[in-house]
Amino acid sequence: MGLIFSVSGVRGIVGTELTPQVAVDVGAAFGSWVGGGRVAVASDTRPSGPMIRRAVASGLMATGCTVIDLDVASTPGTALRVRELAASGGVVVTASHNPSEYNGIKLLSSDGWALPAEQVEQVRRIWQQRGFDLVGGDQVGGVETRQATETHQRHVEAVLRIVNVPMIAKRRLHIVLDSVNGAGSPGTAMLLARLGCEFVHINAEPTGMFARGPEPVAENLTELCQAVRLARADAGFAQDPDADRLALVDEAGRCVGEEYTLALAVQEVLSKRSGPVAANLSTSRLIDDIARRAGCTVHRTPVGEAHVAQAIIQRGCVIGGEGNGGVIDPRVVPVRDSFVAIALICQLLAESGKKLSELVAALPRYAMIKRKLACPAERAGAVLAAVREAFAGQRINEADGVWIGLQNGWVHVRQSNTEPIMRLVVEAEGDRQAQELVERVVRIAEAVR
Ligand code: MG
């Protein structure tokens, strides 16, 4: 497919698409855009991490930036350090939930957020045009190195401040944690210990050789489900390699579905603090149900972490995130954070005294279906127009493709940034209704020529 430089950063297969030469250039482009100062750089546990991280660092130094080398760190941990160290920006070398032959370069702003799309585009243009502001030998930047443990500790401390630690610790929750051999492993173990949890840690070695499919979705979590049953645990937690997403397994060893991570985190936060919530348009209406019950509003944003983070800050949201298990609590850092999700879910379990399955059963259950529709980029506009027309008269949001609010569900169709496809997500009260909605949209899309 080739190297991708999209709104979510750079991604490619190491050795063919993502080479050290590419990484140096991306580093130099980001350094030129930042215009000097200190930039924090970290990598997840992939074996190619140190190679790419050092190449990015070289490019940054060549433009006069001082590199703060954080060694191995999670995405939220890095984001937090960018803020704490008052850096001009941050770089995380990670391909997130992609297999270990991939790597990527994710850019963070000086506030520690995912860099917004327009700004990523500015960096991409510098990279493409090779418009680097390289400095002379006497102005080249240096490197400050930091221990990886320091980032993990600082991150854990920040997360512990948002929950009632003695109350949670008293419950002695039994947890199975699956860190997928990723960057979250050491820090999350610290977090669970500090929360007084007794835990079994699987796929704990931070080797970057992922023992399961790295995306925390049901098909990859069979080992975790078994381990939860075997340990008679209260819950299972599954992270992705850069530890920004979290999936939950209930006490019976069942995957509860990725939408419930954010839903339960929102429920927990709104039980303590009133305020608006932000979520992207493809996130379940569970969030609306929970917010309505608490008398709070939900701001919907285009898909992409930076959009949600921006809405959280600009609208003063108390919590937000994405339905794929990405929870953002601005008290820690406006980035998706599996540590935050774990702390909030533990607090909810401890405080309610309920089983995870009971907490899930108390929420509505909707059917969500996600589909990719093959569609060349030049036809995307016509497909969106046809969908809009077919659902004329319904509630429509065009912030990102077309989102249609129906009586008992919704439809979201948008163009992919990286592939010649349209992404379709529908949610309805039941499987059959969801399936019918999917079929209806597919027919509309196929009729466009
Ligand atoms: Mg990730």
Side-chain angles (χ1 to χ4, degrees):
M1 202 154 96
L3 186 81
I4 294 169
F5 198 146
S6 73
V7 288
S8 35
V10 174
R11 194 160 290 178
I13 294 172
V14 175
T16 53
E17 298 164 356
L18 182 50
T19 60
Q21 288 81 3
V22 168
V24 169
D25 287 351
V26 173
F30 189 49
S32 305
W33 182 82
V34 166
R38 297 152 85 221
V39 177
V41 181
S43 54
D44 73 14
T45 53
R46 285 178 170 79
S48 60
M51 181 268 280
I52 301 290
R53 187 175 85 234
R54 287 175 168 92
V56 171
S58 257
L60 284 163
M61 290 187 279
T63 59
C65 292
T66 297
V67 167
I68 309 171
D69 187 341
L70 298 179
D71 197 355
V72 170
S74 67
T75 295
T78 307
L80 184 84
R81 293 302 275 154
V82 166
R83 270 224 306 228
E84 286 186 344
L85 296 164
S88 313
V91 177
V92 192
V93 173
T94 177
S96 192
H97 56 272
N98 290 272
S100 59
E101 58 266 34
Y102 284 80
N103 216 330
I105 302 169
K106 189 170 173 167
L107 306 175
L108 303 175
S109 76
S110 56
D111 298 305
W113 320 349
L115 206 64
E118 320 81 73
Q119 299 180 2
V120 175
E121 179 53 24
Q122 290 164 5
V123 176
R124 198 192 62 81
R125 239 179 263 146
I126 297 173
W127 172 75
Q128 196 174 36
Q129 296 164 359
R130 306 186 62 77
F132 310 131
D133 294 327
L134 302 183
V135 297
D138 53 346
Q139 288 172 298
V140 163
V143 184
E144 295 170 22
T145 52
R146 300 276 178 159
Q147 298 286 327
T149 322
E150 193 185 348
T151 302
H152 305 324
Q153 277 167 349
R154 302 289 307 179
H155 186 200
V156 168
E157 293 301 335
V159 172
L160 290 173
R161 280 195 286 274
I162 67 167
V163 289
N164 183 343
V165 177
M167 189 274 294
I168 299 170
K170 225 166 142 187
R171 247 312 288 284
R172 288 239 151 254
L173 293 166
H174 288 227
I175 301 295
V176 182
L177 172 65
D178 178 348
S179 293
V180 69
N181 312 98
S185 187
T188 315
M190 262 181 229
L191 175 69
L192 288 178
R194 292 284 300 276
L195 290 173
C197 298
E198 287 177 21
F199 63 99
V200 176
H201 200 170
I202 64 172
N203 303 323
E205 309 72 30
T207 56
M209 302 305 288
F210 310 134
R212 59 158 166 89
E215 191 164 22
V217 292
E219 69 207 65
N220 296 327
L221 303 183
T222 46
E223 187 194 359
L224 175 61
C225 292
Q226 268 172 11
V228 166
R229 282 192 290 266
L230 201 69
R232 297 177 175 277
D234 296 306
F237 295 144
Q239 297 172 302
D240 76 333
D242 64 323
D244 58 354
R245 285 170 62 183
L246 186 78
L248 307 177
V249 170
D250 74 12
E251 75 288 348
R254 294 170 300 205
C255 289
V256 304
E258 54 186 3
E259 295 289 328
Y260 284 90
T261 308
L262 179 62
L264 292 170
V266 168
Q267 180 180 330
E268 170 53 29
V269 168
L270 295 187
S271 74
K272 306 271 180 315
R273 313 168 68 215
S274 199
V277 178
N280 72 36
L281 284 165
S282 277
T283 298
S284 172
R285 59 197 273 226
L286 280 170
I287 306 301
D288 302 274
D289 298 336
I290 293 163
R292 197 179 311 113
R293 261 187 243 165
C296 299
T297 52
V298 177
H299 296 291
R300 293 285 179 169
T301 74
V303 173
E305 183 178 4
H307 293 291
V308 183
Q310 247 171 328
I312 287 177
I313 299 303
Q314 286 167 1
R315 300 188 180 263
C317 297
V318 292
I319 184 82
E322 300 188 307
N324 60 8
V327 177
I328 303 177
D329 190 317
R331 290 173 292 180
V332 178
V333 68
V335 163
R336 296 180 305 191
D337 189 339
S338 64
F339 289 49
V340 160
I342 286 172
L344 292 173
I345 302 295
C346 284
Q347 176 153 287
L348 182 61
L349 286 168
E351 198 169 47
S352 67
K354 290 191 173 133
K355 292 181 174 151
L356 183 53
S357 65
E358 294 169 344
L359 293 166
V360 170
L363 293 172
R365 179 156 287 276
Y366 298 121
M368 186 183 269
I369 300 179
K370 299 181 182 184
R371 279 287 157 77
K372 292 178 183 178
L373 313 178
C375 179
E378 59 274 15
R379 209 191 294 155
V383 169
L384 292 175
V387 172
R388 196 188 307 120
E389 185 150 323
F391 289 95
Q394 308 290 345
R395 250 178 333 130
I396 292 188
N397 182 328
E398 294 187 80
D400 183 8
V402 178
W403 180 95
I404 295 134
L406 304 162
Q407 187 74 41
N408 296 312
W410 53 266
V411 174
H412 188 201
V413 194
R414 65 188 184 91
Q415 192 183 352
S416 163
N417 294 312
T418 50
E419 298 170 67
I421 57 164
M422 305 284 285
R423 293 188 190 279
L424 166 63
V425 186
V426 310
E427 188 174 46
E429 309 246 290
D431 293 330
R432 193 174 51 82
Q433 292 94 323
Q435 193 55 45
E436 281 169 8
L437 264 177
V438 166
E439 282 162 20
R440 183 169 170 201
V441 176
V442 168
R443 278 196 303 274
I444 295 166
E446 281 174 353
V448 175
R449 282 288 170 264

